[in-house]
Amino acid sequence: MKLDADIKSQLAQYLQLLEGNVLLKVSAGSDSVSNDMLDLVNELSGMSDKITVEHTTLPRTPSFSVNRAGEDTGVTFAGVPLGHEFTSLVLALLQVSGRPPKVEQSVIDRVKAIQGEYHFETYVSLSCHNCPDVVQALNMMSVLNPNITHTMIDGAAFKEEVESKDIMAVPSVYLNAEFFESGRMTVEDILNKMGSSEDTSEFENKEPYDVLVVGGGPAGASGAIYAARKGIRTGIIAERFGGQVNDTLGIENLIGTKYTEGPKLAASLEEHAKEYNIDIMKSQMAKRLEKKDFVEVELENGAILKSKTVIVSTGARWRNLGVPGEAEFKNKGVAYCPHCDGPLFAGKHVAVVGGGNSGIEAAIDLAGVAGHVTVLEFMPELKADSVLQERLNSLPNTTVIKNAQVKEITGTNKVDGVTYIERESGEEKHIDLQGVFVQIGLVPNTDWLADTVERTRMGEIVVDNRGATSVPGVFAAGDCTNSPFKQIIISMGSGATAALGAFDYMIRNQ
């Protein structure tokens, strides 16, 4: 497998940034994946005189490790890190060569302070857009701390290993051969789970803000940028920049941008926010809001931040079915991201619950890898756009069942089927299958607000045309509000509206 011209052109630019020599230790066999991997490492060494290749035997074949001369850094790729892992490879090369990672010094200090032996393994699929965040975080930790190693494992290249561990979701992380966690994680999330406590002193004695934004998705980033452009003191609390956008793959309806991908847009939101004088507080969650002289926001870490105005933009999360078996078999056949976990169900029978746009898009996606896809829709008709329904109906390995109420997801140690009620007849039916993808809409992340602000029965924050809530000085924007349409571009606009509304409120109430 030879790299195409576009990838080689990108690589050539990145490899010019290498600061020191890099040694690739390669463990290859005679299989096709080994051949593809050898093509890749040989092309890398041919493109830079700072990269050399040494053949050896590693715990997995095919794999290769990325090292400094005379020093094993603990960074290993088992398989061929292309697709969404291409960036992980590039960053590993740069960081091992001596180029510092682009993270806060406080994070670097926490990583370096870790004691003990930590051997991480992350199972990924190359089509997973959530996996690179975890791979890059653990690779960086391995480069910074000699007590930490990390191996990325392409599940498609090591199918027997994946099946022996019953891995049915990616990324799945193992630590010292024991399951650690599954799903998207930031380096801060990993450190917290390892028991590395963050330094909360930075939150003490912060001056009150003019605008404090809670949430770092499209609405929150837009609100923070619009507020900062007014020259007022602005802060933003973000569990993760981009919010649910990180879980979206192809985006084709952001006007002026023909196509982008969720993680790329999320990174752009953070980069744009960093261009302004915004106090950015990442990996933080709010747990309480109270109106006093200032609006006070208490964080999960116990810190209390004060502001003249607050914009709540905490977004939404996937809605759960709430039936027996869903929680028990999460990551054991129950999944929510077809792009990430779909490849693990190659050739198998899966169901998609939900007939809206996201559900039908998921079914179309899965039909390309799964043996058969059954769509279960509660209503008498699908709600998806007609163009999506036509595409689904053209596929030979899909079935649509309407008027179906899912009663239970069945299984023992993993999913083996779905029981549903045929609503018209009341008859109970069962389908034997291996995976269930839940796509039934969103739930606003507003539970933490309790009765502080007016919310709808669905939990959405009620706002007026300026983004103002029922509490003076508290504004809201995006998918956590009662806006009838949940779209990225609408969230961005509502964030700007809330920021301008907050600025206007301060002018009139100072």
Side-chain angles (χ1 to χ4, degrees):
M1 179 194 68
K2 296 295 183 183
L3 298 178
D4 65 37
D6 286 344
I7 290 180
K8 286 196 73 169
S9 175
Q10 291 178 55
L11 260 178
Q13 295 176 47
Y14 290 131
L15 296 182
Q16 290 176 6
L17 302 174
L18 292 173
E19 295 196 359
N21 293 330
V22 174
L23 172 63
L24 303 180
K25 293 186 178 181
V26 182
S27 181
S30 56
D31 57 283
S32 61
V33 179
S34 289
N35 292 335
D36 288 344
M37 183 187 69
L38 286 171
D39 286 344
L40 173 62
V41 298
N42 288 332
E43 288 213 54
L44 288 170
S45 64
M47 294 173 69
S48 172
D49 57 9
K50 290 184 177 178
I51 299 177
T52 54
V53 176
E54 174 186 301
H55 291 269
T56 187
T57 301
L58 297 173
R60 288 180 181 83
T61 297
S63 67
F64 67 95
S65 59
V66 185
N67 310 283
R68 302 184 188 97
E71 178 191 350
D72 286 345
T73 57
V75 176
T76 303
F77 294 95
V80 186
L82 293 177
H84 284 291
E85 294 299 345
F86 173 68
T87 304
S88 302
L89 170 62
V90 170
L91 289 174
L93 292 168
L94 293 176
Q95 290 171 14
V96 169
S97 82
R99 214 166 172 81
K102 292 183 177 180
V103 292
E104 291 81 2
Q105 186 61 43
S106 60
V107 172
I108 293 173
D109 293 341
R110 287 175 70 187
V111 173
K112 289 183 173 180
I114 292 173
Q115 302 293 316
E117 295 293 321
Y118 296 89
H119 302 292
F120 286 97
E121 297 169 319
T122 304
Y123 293 85
V124 308
S125 65
L126 300 183
S127 63
C128 168
H129 56 286
N130 288 328
C131 295
D133 277 7
V134 177
V135 171
Q136 290 162 26
L138 289 168
N139 282 349
M140 178 194 69
M141 290 170 64
S142 301
V143 173
L144 292 173
N145 189 320
N147 299 317
I148 300 172
T149 68
H150 176 242
T151 302
M152 181 219 82
I153 304 163
D154 176 13
F158 293 87
K159 288 181 180 177
E160 289 184 8
E161 188 173 336
V162 166
E163 289 178 2
S164 71
K165 284 180 158 63
D166 276 339
I167 293 170
M168 304 184 77
V170 290
S172 281
V173 181
Y174 284 70
L175 170 59
N176 297 338
E178 297 291 330
F179 179 75
F180 178 74
E181 189 58 271
S182 182
R184 175 188 286 275
M185 290 181 286
T186 64
V187 64
E188 292 91 348
D189 295 331
I190 296 168
L191 288 168
N192 291 341
K193 190 168 176 60
M194 291 173 70
S196 166
S197 58
E198 64 175 322
D199 181 5
T200 59
S201 62
E202 63 176 291
F203 295 94
E204 296 174 4
N205 303 318
K206 280 185 179 282
E207 291 294 318
Y209 298 94
D210 293 313
V211 175
L212 177 63
V213 180
V214 184
S222 173
I225 289 168
Y226 262 76
R229 284 176 61 84
K230 291 294 185 182
I232 55 181
R233 179 166 161 73
T234 305
I236 183 168
I237 303 161
E239 182 185 6
R240 57 171 177 158
F241 250 91
Q244 201 188 29
V245 164
N246 283 290
D247 302 326
T248 305
L249 190 55
I251 299 170
E252 299 175 299
N253 56 0
L254 189 60
I255 308 306
T257 303
K258 288 183 181 179
Y259 179 84
T260 188
E261 295 184 348
K264 184 177 179 181
L265 178 59
S268 296
L269 293 175
E270 184 172 359
E271 288 170 15
H272 196 173
K274 286 180 175 177
E275 291 293 313
Y276 293 89
N277 186 24
I278 299 171
D279 185 7
I280 297 174
M281 295 161 276
K282 293 199 296 182
S283 294
Q284 301 299 331
M285 290 182 66
K287 74 172 184 179
R288 185 180 62 83
L289 181 147
E290 187 175 355
K291 170 74 172 179
K292 295 183 178 178
D293 290 341
F294 289 98
V295 183
E296 295 186 359
V297 175
E298 182 180 357
L299 306 184
E300 289 284 357
N301 66 16
I304 295 178
L305 304 175
K306 299 178 180 180
S307 185
K308 294 175 182 175
T309 64
V310 165
I311 299 173
V312 178
S313 55
T314 44
R317 63 189 182 276
W318 289 116
R319 183 183 302 278
N320 291 326
L321 274 170
V323 300
E326 181 180 23
E328 294 88 332
F329 299 119
K330 185 178 180 183
N331 297 333
K332 292 297 179 183
V334 174
Y336 299 84
C337 179
H339 304 298
C340 301
D341 299 332
L344 299 175
F345 295 86
K348 298 179 179 178
H349 184 179
V350 301
V352 173
V353 182
N357 282 350
S358 59
I360 301 308
E361 286 171 356
I364 293 167
D365 231 12
L366 290 164
V369 293
H372 194 88
V373 181
T374 298
V375 176
L376 296 167
E377 165 57 39
F378 182 82
M379 300 301 288
E381 297 297 331
L382 298 180
K383 302 181 290 292
D385 294 343
S386 58
V387 64
L388 293 175
Q389 294 190 44
E390 290 168 11
R391 172 69 179 135
L392 181 73
N393 292 333
S394 74
L395 301 174
N397 60 336
T398 63
T399 303
V400 176
I401 302 174
K402 303 169 189 175
N403 255 340
Q405 179 182 348
V406 175
K407 181 182 179 183
E408 183 181 6
I409 298 171
T410 61
T412 48
N413 61 333
K414 57 184 177 182
V415 168
D416 65 16
V418 165
T419 300
Y420 71 94
I421 297 170
E422 203 173 59
R423 294 176 61 220
E424 195 168 345
S425 66
E427 185 180 351
E428 186 172 296
K429 295 191 174 182
H430 185 81
I431 308 172
D432 293 328
L433 42 74
Q434 291 78 50
V436 179
F437 288 79
V438 181
Q439 302 279 296
I440 56 170
L442 302 169
V443 179
N445 296 317
T446 60
D447 296 344
W448 64 282
L449 290 167
D451 297 326
T452 308
V453 300
E454 182 187 354
R455 295 186 292 158
T456 68
R457 66 179 183 84
M458 303 297 290
E460 298 171 330
I461 302 169
V462 177
V463 295
D464 66 13
N465 60 4
R466 292 172 176 253
T469 72
S470 59
V471 177
V474 178
F475 296 76
D479 286 359
C480 66
T481 72
N482 62 339
S483 168
F485 306 111
K486 314 301 184 188
Q487 297 288 319
I488 293 170
I489 194 167
I490 292 172
S491 290
M492 287 179 170
S494 69
T497 296
L500 296 174
F503 182 69
D504 183 67
Y505 171 86
M506 283 188 292
I507 290 173
R508 296 172 185 275
N509 291 276
Q510 297 304 311

